[in-house]
């Protein structure tokens, strides 16, 4: 739910409420307190800071464990030079090649199937195409009409900033993968030609006006793309096990 459309429940208090099976998506839950409650089989994902469980801040533990399981997070976080960015992208391409090889063993319907209402594999690839089109083609390269028509923006993307996308499109896995591989090659070519001066210069393209922010430096835009890559690959890995069990 976009913040402007959110139901205002600030300061609400729930006492003795049965919230079993409830789902909270795209909610602002800052400063929430859960007291003397039963939390069993609870799953939490998102931007997590100062997360205290029974008096213990577990934020650092969660971040460290994610870094241990996914060292590419550290690689991206510590990028400074052009060489660092190239190494991070090579790692991302290698990891995604392994993930796609695993997904190739699924039948076509399962590649379009959602797990726990999250994006399907095909939808995730469509979203990563959107991220590349926005942050690389539009903002870094300032290309005209850079968007794949079946790309998938996030739900909270400013509606007035949406390009001419077909949000009802149902492209095949093969079509989406071909576009996705072309976009990854675009990033690779950009990095091959990148200089240190350009890395730290401002992007010539514009961010959506609704964000009311100046264009970022090239290195910040690249970091957004790479963060999207590693986060969404982690989500795909999370769901692949469930999809593979459905195959049998």
């Amino acid at each position: 739910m976009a913040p402007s459309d959110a139901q205002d429940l600030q300061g609400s208090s729930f006492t003795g409420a049965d919230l079993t099976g409830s789902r909270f998506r795209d909610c602002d839950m800052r400063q929430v307190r859960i007291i003397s409650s039963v939390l069993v089989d609870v799953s939490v994902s998102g931007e997590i800071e100062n997360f205290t469980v029974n008096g213990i801040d577990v934020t650092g533990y969660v971040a460290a464990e994610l870094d241990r399981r996914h060292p590419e997070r550290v690689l991206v976080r510590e990028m400074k030079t052009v060489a660092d960015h190239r190494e991070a992208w090579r790692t991302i391409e290698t990891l995604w090649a392994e993930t796609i090889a695993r997904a190739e063993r699924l039948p076509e319907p399962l590649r379009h199937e959602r797990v726990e209402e999250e994006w399907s594999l095909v939808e995730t690839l469509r979203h990563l195409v959107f991220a590349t089109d926005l942050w690389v083609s539009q903002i870094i390269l300032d290309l005209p009409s850079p968007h794949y028509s079946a790309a998938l923006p996030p739900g909270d993307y400013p509606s007035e900033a949406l390009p001419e996308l077909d949000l009802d499109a149902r492209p095949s896995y093969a079509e989406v993968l071909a576009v996705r591989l072309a976009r990854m090659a675009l990033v690779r070519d950009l990095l091959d030609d990148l200089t240190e001066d350009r890395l730290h210069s401002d992007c010539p393209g514009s961010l959506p006006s609704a964000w009311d922010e100046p264009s970022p430096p090239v290195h910040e835009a690249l970091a957004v793309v790479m963060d999207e890559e590693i986060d969404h690959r982690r989500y795909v890995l999370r769901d692949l096990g469930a999809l593979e069990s459905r195959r049998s």
Side-chain angles (χ1 to χ4, degrees):
M1 181 183 297
S4 60
D5 299 327
Q7 183 178 1
D8 187 359
L9 296 174
Q10 294 183 48
S12 297
S13 178
F14 303 91
T15 302
D18 186 349
L19 299 174
T20 302
S22 298
R23 290 177 179 268
F24 303 88
R25 182 181 295 275
D26 295 333
C27 295
D28 187 341
M29 302 184 75
R30 286 172 291 181
Q31 301 176 0
V32 168
R33 297 184 66 199
I34 302 173
I35 305 165
S36 300
S37 299
V38 178
L39 279 80
V40 178
D41 298 329
V42 173
S43 176
V44 179
S45 65
E47 183 176 345
I48 298 174
E49 295 181 13
N50 302 323
F51 188 15
T52 302
V53 178
N54 287 338
I56 300 172
D57 187 345
V58 300
T59 312
Y61 166 77
V62 172
E65 182 62 14
L66 283 172
D67 287 348
R68 185 187 69 80
R69 297 184 184 189
H70 303 282
E72 65 274 13
R73 284 165 42 96
V74 180
L75 201 60
V76 169
R77 191 167 62 239
E78 295 182 350
M79 293 185 305
K80 291 183 175 61
T81 67
V82 170
D84 294 339
H85 286 72
R86 289 172 181 160
E87 180 186 1
W89 188 252
R90 282 194 299 269
T91 299
I92 286 169
E93 286 200 286
T94 298
L95 292 171
W96 265 109
E98 296 169 355
T99 305
I100 291 300
R102 185 175 166 186
E104 294 275 333
R105 295 192 286 269
L106 294 173
E108 175 78 2
L110 288 184
R111 297 175 191 148
H112 295 266
E113 190 167 319
R114 291 184 169 187
V115 176
E116 295 292 335
E117 300 181 16
E118 301 295 338
W119 276 340
S120 68
L121 171 67
V122 172
E123 288 172 320
T124 298
L125 297 180
R126 290 169 59 195
H127 174 68
L128 290 174
V129 167
F130 177 83
T132 307
D133 287 348
L134 174 64
W135 291 96
V136 177
S137 297
Q138 178 178 322
I139 297 177
I140 296 179
L141 298 176
D142 198 20
L143 298 177
S145 304
H147 291 273
Y148 168 51
S149 62
L152 188 62
D156 61 352
Y157 192 73
S159 57
E160 65 272 20
L162 285 174
E164 295 300 316
L165 299 183
D166 181 3
L167 300 183
D168 296 321
R170 294 295 181 268
S172 68
Y173 167 76
E175 176 188 330
V176 173
L177 182 61
V179 177
R180 162 75 170 148
L181 293 176
R183 296 304 192 268
M184 296 190 84
L186 177 72
V187 178
R188 189 188 321 129
D189 291 343
L190 168 66
L191 291 170
D192 284 345
D193 295 334
L194 194 62
T195 64
E196 295 293 343
D197 286 344
R198 189 180 182 195
L199 178 65
H200 296 284
S201 65
D202 289 339
C203 295
S206 301
L207 291 166
S209 58
W211 290 356
D212 193 25
E213 295 180 14
S215 294
V218 170
H219 68 86
E220 288 187 9
L222 285 171
V224 171
V225 171
M226 295 197 197
D227 282 337
E228 288 282 298
E229 293 282 348
I230 59 178
D231 284 346
H232 283 283
R233 176 179 171 272
R234 181 160 52 88
Y235 305 151
V236 167
L237 291 176
R238 175 197 62 197
D239 295 340
L240 272 176
L243 292 171
E244 288 163 343
S245 67
R246 294 177 189 181
R247 177 183 56 189
S248 58

